[in-house]
Amino acid sequence: MSEPDRTTGPDRTTGIVQRGLYYDELELGARYLHRPGRTATEADNVLFSSLTMNTQALHLDAAFSADQPFGQRLMNSMWTLATMVGASVSQITQGTLVAQLGLTDVSFPAPLFHGDTLYTETEVTAKRLSSSRPGQGIVTLRHTGRNQHGEIVALATRTALMWCAPDTPEETP
């Protein structure tokens, strides 16, 4: 008789389901280092810029960019932002996010180029239970993106509506 497959099937007790963290599990001041990093490629830049209809020559035209202040094409900053937030999903919000509520304080203090590797970290800067949505809480996350040299290339503050852990008594606000 063969051993049952412990990685599939409707019975969740036979396998481990990857998920993010519930509101209750997020600690103020905790800093999550998301690994592995993501090396930015020319294909990423061209595809993302094309998909988003961003025809900025600084992303697509090597000859034009060579005569500009950075001397080469820049990664599309929206790719950098999206990749930075995306890097946090499996560790923080996978299956525990209700909705992203907003992004603020987005900045790009240094450029990211083809061939650079983006490393992301996330700090939990605030959290509170929702006053209008029982079983949910609002969490503020500060994302920081660094290149392989440790230079900060992107910053963003993200507000997320998160599920509280199931069967956990709610705190009183």
Side-chain angles (χ1 to χ4, degrees):
M1 187 163 144
S2 66
E3 177 121 3
D5 181 356
R6 301 215 183 271
T7 60
T8 61
D11 183 1
R12 292 180 59 174
T13 61
T14 63
I16 297 171
V17 176
Q18 173 93 22
R19 69 163 170 85
L21 300 172
Y22 287 108
Y23 168 86
D24 319 68
E25 297 171 314
L26 292 165
E27 296 179 23
L28 278 177
R31 190 169 58 100
Y32 299 89
L33 305 178
H34 310 298
R35 300 296 182 265
R38 176 66 160 77
T39 300
T41 69
E42 179 179 15
D44 294 328
N45 206 19
V46 171
L47 181 60
F48 188 89
S49 295
S50 298
L51 286 172
T52 58
M53 299 177 65
N54 183 337
T55 60
Q56 175 54 253
L58 287 170
H59 306 312
L60 302 173
D61 188 328
F64 171 82
S65 298
D67 291 333
Q68 298 305 303
F70 293 108
Q72 61 180 303
R73 286 169 290 171
L74 302 171
M75 284 301 293
N76 185 314
S77 60
M78 294 296 101
W79 180 92
T80 304
L81 177 62
T83 302
M84 187 170 63
V85 170
S88 73
V89 169
S90 65
Q91 199 170 9
I92 297 180
T93 62
Q94 181 65 48
T96 56
L97 177 79
V98 177
Q100 176 166 283
L101 301 178
L103 289 164
T104 60
D105 305 318
V106 176
S107 64
F108 303 97
L112 191 69
F113 301 112
H114 301 161
D116 283 348
T117 300
L118 178 65
Y119 293 99
T120 303
E121 60 190 61
T122 301
E123 181 181 356
V124 179
T125 60
K127 63 183 272 191
R128 67 173 178 83
L129 288 170
S130 173
S131 58
S132 61
R133 299 181 68 98
Q136 298 173 7
I138 298 170
V139 179
T140 304
L141 306 165
R142 181 68 171 162
H143 298 294
T144 301
R146 298 175 192 274
N147 66 16
Q148 67 277 12
H149 306 296
E151 298 168 303
I152 295 175
V153 297
L155 295 162
T157 299
R158 180 176 173 215
T159 305
L161 185 61
M162 305 287 294
W163 286 108
C164 292
D167 302 318
T168 301
E170 291 187 17
E171 309 164 5
T172 51

